[in-house]
Amino acid sequence: MSEGAVADSHDLIRVHGARVNNLKDVSIEIPKRRLTAFTGVSGSGKSSLVFSTIAAESQRLINETYSAFVQGFMPTLARPDVDVLDGLTTAIIVDQERMGSNPRSTVGTATDAGAMLRILFSRLGKPHVGSPQAFSFNVASISGAGAVAFEKGGRTVKERRSFNIVGGMCPRCEGRGMVNDIDLGELYDDAKSLNDGAVTIPGYGADSWNMRMYKESGLVDPDVPIRKYTKKQLQDFLYKEPTRTKIANINMTYEGLVVRIQKSMLSKDRESMQPHIRAFVDRAVTFSVCGECGGTRLSDTARSSKIKKISIADACAMQISDLAAWVRGLEEPSVAPLLKALGEILESFVEIGLGYLSLDRASGTLSGGEAQRTKMVRHLGSPLTDVTYVFDEPSIGMHPHDIQRMNDLLLRLRDKGNSVLVVEHKPEVIAIADHVVDLGPGAGSRGGEICFEGTVGELRSSGTITGRHLDDRARLKDEVRVSKRAMEVRGADTHNLRDVDVDVPLGVLCVVTGVAGSGKSSLIDGSVAGRDGVVLVDQTPIRGSRRSNPATYTGLLDPIRKAFAKTNGVKPALFSANSEGACPVCNGAGVVYTELGVMATVESPCEECEGKRFQASVLEYKLGGRDIAEVLAMSVAEAKEYFGEGEAKTPAAHKILERLDDVGLGYLTIGQPLTTLSGGERQRLKLATHLGDKGGTFVLDEPTTGLHLADVEQLLGLLDRLVDAGKSVIVIEHHQAVMAHADWIIDLGPGAGHDGGRVVFEGTPAELVKARSTLTAEHLAEYVGA
């Protein structure tokens, strides 16, 4: 056999004995240079196999090729729990993690386009204002001078030095584009004195430690109403800069109320706040566009430099498809390589269907699908081959019209000689796969096995859940519910909406649809979400450490702790692994971490509590014959029965468990860490939590994300039950099964960006299919076989 033939025999990625998360000793061989789709219900182990095993090991092996010094700066990765992994190639991961909601991050900064534009303007802009930094809204202008002392040749030398940095940051809003003003009326009631509880901020009650500082500061009289303060007193009370002082014989730092609130609450990420603090911040803080830079984030100097009458702020505000045409028109040999590279990036945006974005769009406002495609931009023109591309549901957030485009891209990557692994639920994407691996048969502990391997044709006749549901096509409903009242939206003009007037029917299932970028989220977020009684369940990821689990996230643990405490006559804090009941050795984590510097941190089960996370004495207290660790190890379905009747009957806990079961999470263990849940599971957990909210109108943003075809039916049943219970349900959705099931459809379009932003159809699904007047209508008609 010639040597070439031996090399050619390595055309499989071989996995033997994978046991990550719920995988049960999985062994599989995946063909290279083919498109392989991984299917199965949400939680069946697809991501565990593809991301946590194959892609994770590939990344770890690449990191190991660097020196220990460089590895010290990289995340340390542990070897996945697998016996053999063979035939791996470099993995490039394109996951569906939303981009960070850092207010400074934009589409331009998240890709290389912003950096290239800054270089372009620093070279060609007239007048010349400085280096690329002078066009960055994240760099402040700063200058300084003074004496510096340093050792030179064994003696101390003093020199005078000065420096000057020209940055592009707008000084008024510090490069955020928005300024926030605090509504003082939401901070205090000026008719009351401090002793009467004038301050209405959460955590600042009349007897709280926070208030003691103001009452005993000596700067104001705690018995005088705030409106009677002198100008100086009010200034000191609200805006005094931090000053060291003695209050109640303790050395403390006194700072004005507004200064303190800005530090403690306003500088934090809104999503990570507790709900009552977030509600207060939403009331007290008003955000408005910065008057100095007009929301462009850039200083006057940066905006004054222009190329062909266009400033960098104008360029970033253009729709990317228009910007690409502008860049193509710049003929300048001195920066030819830069223009070529920038042009290619912008063309990739257009090709991937994101030409309607602009570079100044905040990356936190992108939907999951948009964020994923933005990450793909860098790989499209890549000359690399024989790479493994790993995609996590690339069809998320895509209209059927856009999925066709995505399919072409996946096939193009494969045809360049790459292995493409796709975790996917949509039949349109599964259909183009060369090879399909179906995991299951169920989710969680009931999954983690390979149910099928082969072609799409063989999958259809295989009898697995995916095979059986692959050709499921929803039918239009025979009769739809009729709405008696509507929510009026008038003159909506958020983002690309063009003075939209629409009546959103209430008391029915209403679906808002349209191609990606047509203005669906703009309509709902801008004109519906903030109203009274509207509960928004969006796609922002659940924040949770490995100490968080479904029981803590949903509030289920509170009634459970109280029930245990009441039955045993002890305090509830004992039944929390994050509080007094925690095992003293592992602090309630259940595992002990050993840091090994450059090597991966070793995680071993705690020997004291055997991973149960509680002190031994706590486990002696029982409720209905079970201790707290046994209760947390139950599945939702099991716990629902346990708390539903008998000695452990706890109605408050039972109600939350019923909602979790309703959204199809009956198989989850109530104490399993949130970090082990899949994307689809997290979203349904969030939905279950919100179902208990008091609102009358639920707005769901793509609830079918991460759902298997079989689970979509269960979701539709849940939506029907909500409407039948008298709620109004508005769903932003691209899934044709949900559209077919709707009572009313609002279709936006006709295109994306400035080609969209109008309502192109309002009516029942049957009327939409009959009219065939829009892109959505075409695809829905094809789907239902009309």
Side-chain angles (χ1 to χ4, degrees):
M1 196 186 235
S2 71
E3 281 187 34
V6 175
D8 291 341
S9 65
H10 294 280
D11 52 3
L12 292 172
I13 297 173
R14 289 176 37 241
V15 182
H16 277 272
R19 292 175 294 277
V20 175
N21 293 338
N22 65 339
L23 296 178
K24 298 174 183 164
D25 250 346
V26 165
S27 296
I28 186 170
E29 295 187 339
I30 301 162
K32 285 188 190 171
R33 293 181 285 285
R34 298 285 180 276
L35 197 156
T36 304
F38 292 80
T39 60
V41 294
S42 178
S44 60
K46 307 181 294 296
S47 297
S48 299
L49 175 60
V50 179
F51 288 90
S52 309
T53 307
I54 298 172
E57 179 65 351
S58 168
Q59 280 209 306
R60 189 184 73 84
L61 292 172
I62 288 170
N63 285 6
E64 277 192 356
T65 62
Y66 299 110
S67 67
F69 172 72
V70 175
Q71 286 185 52
F73 295 100
M74 298 171 117
T76 49
L77 303 164
R79 185 177 188 279
D81 187 3
V82 56
D83 296 335
V84 181
L85 266 174
D86 204 25
L88 291 178
T89 68
T90 310
I92 290 177
I93 299 171
V94 187
D95 59 15
Q96 40 160 315
E97 282 297 314
R98 297 288 285 268
M99 289 191 174
S101 52
N102 181 337
R104 298 191 171 282
S105 175
T106 63
V107 172
T109 60
T111 57
D112 296 334
M116 289 184 185
L117 259 186
R118 290 200 293 276
I119 300 171
L120 186 68
F121 272 86
S122 76
R123 297 289 181 277
L124 301 183
K126 296 278 186 296
H128 176 73
V129 295
S131 71
Q133 283 188 340
F135 295 96
S136 169
F137 53 75
N138 288 329
V139 179
S141 293
I142 183 171
S143 59
V148 291
F150 54 92
E151 296 288 325
K152 190 174 183 182
R155 59 201 176 85
T156 304
V157 181
K158 283 194 170 183
E159 274 184 24
R160 183 173 169 74
R161 296 266 177 94
S162 62
F163 70 94
N164 184 26
I165 295 172
V166 179
M169 179 188 284
C170 164
R172 168 80 175 88
C173 62
E174 296 183 355
R176 289 167 176 251
M178 305 288 283
V179 284
N180 57 15
D181 293 316
I182 293 182
D183 179 355
L184 297 178
E186 292 291 349
L187 302 190
Y188 57 78
D189 176 354
D190 67 356
K192 291 181 177 173
S193 69
L194 295 186
N195 278 338
D196 293 338
V199 178
T200 52
I201 304 166
Y204 284 74
D207 302 324
S208 68
W209 179 250
N210 281 330
M211 279 315 297
R212 215 174 141 180
M213 182 166 81
Y214 294 103
K215 287 199 240 176
E216 300 182 19
S217 65
L219 296 170
V220 295
D221 183 342
D223 291 315
V224 171
I226 294 179
R227 64 166 59 145
K228 295 198 174 157
Y229 285 3
T230 63
K231 214 171 182 181
K232 167 102 175 63
Q233 285 176 323
L234 195 61
Q235 179 69 23
D236 284 346
F237 175 54
L238 294 177
Y239 301 109
K240 194 172 177 69
E241 288 300 315
T243 344
R244 294 296 288 168
T245 178
K246 227 180 179 121
I247 294 174
N249 284 331
I250 301 168
N251 285 326
M252 290 178 73
T253 300
Y254 176 90
E255 51 194 348
L257 189 64
V258 169
V259 178
R260 194 151 184 230
I261 291 299
Q262 275 180 313
K263 269 191 202 157
S264 64
M265 294 183 186
L266 306 188
S267 60
K268 292 203 173 103
D269 177 27
R270 185 180 170 281
E271 285 305 314
S272 59
M273 294 175 181
Q274 293 169 291
H276 67 290
I277 305 243
R278 188 186 310 163
F280 160 73
V281 169
D282 288 347
R283 282 198 314 273
V285 183
T286 53
F287 286 95
S288 53
V289 173
C290 170
E292 209 159 296
C293 66
T296 61
R297 306 162 176 251
L298 291 158
S299 64
D300 290 344
T301 320
R303 299 201 310 276
S304 68
S305 180
K306 299 189 174 180
I307 302 174
K308 289 192 173 174
K309 298 184 182 169
I310 295 277
S311 72
I312 189 162
D314 302 331
C316 289
M318 276 186 198
Q319 194 164 301
I320 289 177
S321 51
D322 299 341
L323 181 60
W326 181 75
V327 169
R328 269 200 307 272
L330 295 177
E331 295 288 333
E332 192 61 52
S334 63
V335 289
L338 180 65
L339 287 173
K340 182 172 182 289
L342 178 58
E344 279 170 3
I345 285 188
L346 298 173
E347 291 295 342
S348 298
F349 267 107
V350 176
E351 194 178 335
I352 210 165
L354 292 179
Y356 59 87
L357 294 178
S358 59
L359 293 183
D360 63 3
R361 169 92 174 256
S363 55
T365 63
L366 298 181
S367 70
E370 287 171 335
Q372 192 171 19
R373 284 183 285 164
T374 302
K375 291 177 197 167
M376 273 183 79
V377 165
R378 23 184 79 198
H379 307 304
L380 282 188
S382 166
L384 289 172
T385 64
D386 262 334
V387 172
T388 303
Y389 283 96
V390 188
F391 289 96
D392 192 1
E393 293 187 50
S395 65
I396 281 184
M398 285 199 177
H399 189 270
H401 168 71
D402 300 313
I403 290 181
Q404 192 55 52
R405 249 181 181 156
M406 176 59 85
N407 281 350
D408 294 343
L409 289 170
L410 294 174
L411 293 171
R412 229 176 67 198
L413 285 174
R414 176 202 68 186
D415 293 345
K416 269 176 32 182
N418 298 309
S419 312
V420 181
L421 310 183
V422 185
V423 172
E424 190 50 88
H425 291 294
K426 291 259 172 80
E428 299 96 316
V429 182
I430 297 171
I432 63 162
D434 303 307
H435 189 74
V436 181
V437 177
D438 189 38
L439 285 110
S445 55
R446 299 205 301 272
E449 297 170 37
I450 303 279
C451 299
F452 165 83
E453 275 185 86
T455 64
V456 180
E458 290 162 357
L459 175 67
R460 281 203 166 86
S461 51
S462 66
T464 64
I465 283 195
T466 309
R468 286 204 305 274
H469 288 276
L470 199 59
D471 291 319
D472 275 6
R473 293 293 178 265
R475 289 188 8 258
L476 294 173
K477 291 202 293 200
D478 295 330
E479 46 191 76
V480 293
R481 305 178 186 92
V482 180
S483 165
K484 302 275 194 302
R485 56 209 165 84
M487 186 186 292
E488 292 186 1
V489 174
R490 294 290 175 265
D493 55 2
T494 313
H495 298 315
N496 65 334
L497 294 179
R498 306 196 183 172
D499 237 3
V500 168
D501 294 344
V502 66
D503 290 339
V504 181
L506 297 176
V508 296
L509 176 57
C510 170
V511 170
V512 179
T513 186
V515 294
S518 58
K520 306 179 295 298
S521 300
S522 302
L523 177 67
I524 299 301
D525 292 347
S527 306
V528 176
R531 301 194 183 192
D532 284 347
V534 174
V535 178
L536 176 66
V537 187
D538 61 10
Q539 287 190 358
T540 46
I542 285 180
R543 289 176 181 273
S545 65
R546 38 164 313 127
R547 284 181 176 275
S548 317
N549 53 44
T552 58
Y553 182 78
T554 55
L556 169 66
L557 199 54
D558 290 340
I560 293 179
R561 280 199 297 250
K562 284 176 186 155
F564 264 97
K566 194 173 169 190
T567 306
N568 295 290
V570 290
K571 54 183 178 182
L574 280 175
F575 301 99
S576 166
N578 297 330
S579 185
E580 290 183 29
C583 159
V585 177
C586 62
N587 289 330
V591 288
V592 177
Y593 299 102
T594 314
E595 299 268 346
L596 296 175
V598 176
M599 310 303 289
T601 302
V602 177
E603 182 183 300
S604 45
C606 171
E607 290 175 7
E608 176 78 14
C609 64
E610 296 170 349
K612 290 182 178 171
R613 304 170 59 199
F614 291 92
Q615 294 175 21
S617 57
V618 173
L619 299 179
E620 286 168 15
Y621 299 117
K622 308 272 190 203
L623 174 68
R626 306 273 187 107
D627 64 42
I628 183 76
E630 287 169 335
V631 168
L632 289 174
M634 289 179 179
S635 69
V636 167
E638 204 181 328
K640 190 172 100 171
E641 282 182 30
Y642 170 76
F643 287 112
E645 57 205 13
E647 194 191 331
K649 185 172 183 181
T650 313
H654 186 251
K655 195 183 265 177
I656 296 173
L657 287 159
E658 271 189 323
R659 290 203 290 268
L660 285 169
D661 202 24
D662 259 356
V663 296
L665 293 177
Y667 60 87
L668 275 192
T669 309
I670 60 176
Q672 96 183 54
L674 285 188
T675 48
T676 62
L677 302 189
S678 70
E681 288 168 337
R682 290 183 195 197
Q683 196 174 13
R684 283 183 287 164
L685 182 62
K686 199 172 181 182
L687 178 58
T689 313
H690 283 296
L691 288 182
D693 289 358
K694 291 281 183 282
T697 304
F698 283 98
V699 176
L700 309 182
D701 189 358
E702 297 190 36
T704 58
T705 300
L707 284 192
H708 187 266
L709 294 158
D711 297 327
V712 172
E713 289 175 30
Q714 188 169 6
L715 178 79
L716 292 175
L718 172 68
L719 298 181
D720 275 342
R721 286 199 296 281
L722 278 174
V723 176
D724 294 340
K727 305 276 188 194
S728 305
V729 181
I730 302 166
V731 186
I732 301 174
E733 191 53 89
H734 293 119
H735 201 298
Q736 294 103 316
V738 182
M739 290 184 213
H741 201 75
D743 299 310
W744 192 259
I745 287 187
I746 296 172
D747 189 13
L748 286 144
H754 56 42
D755 300 327
R758 292 194 292 267
V759 173
V760 289
F761 175 84
E762 296 175 73
T764 64
E767 289 164 359
L768 178 65
V769 167
K770 195 172 172 191
R772 286 203 183 212
S773 56
T774 68
L775 279 170
T776 307
E778 289 290 335
H779 287 280
L780 185 59
E782 196 181 318
Y783 185 83
V784 297

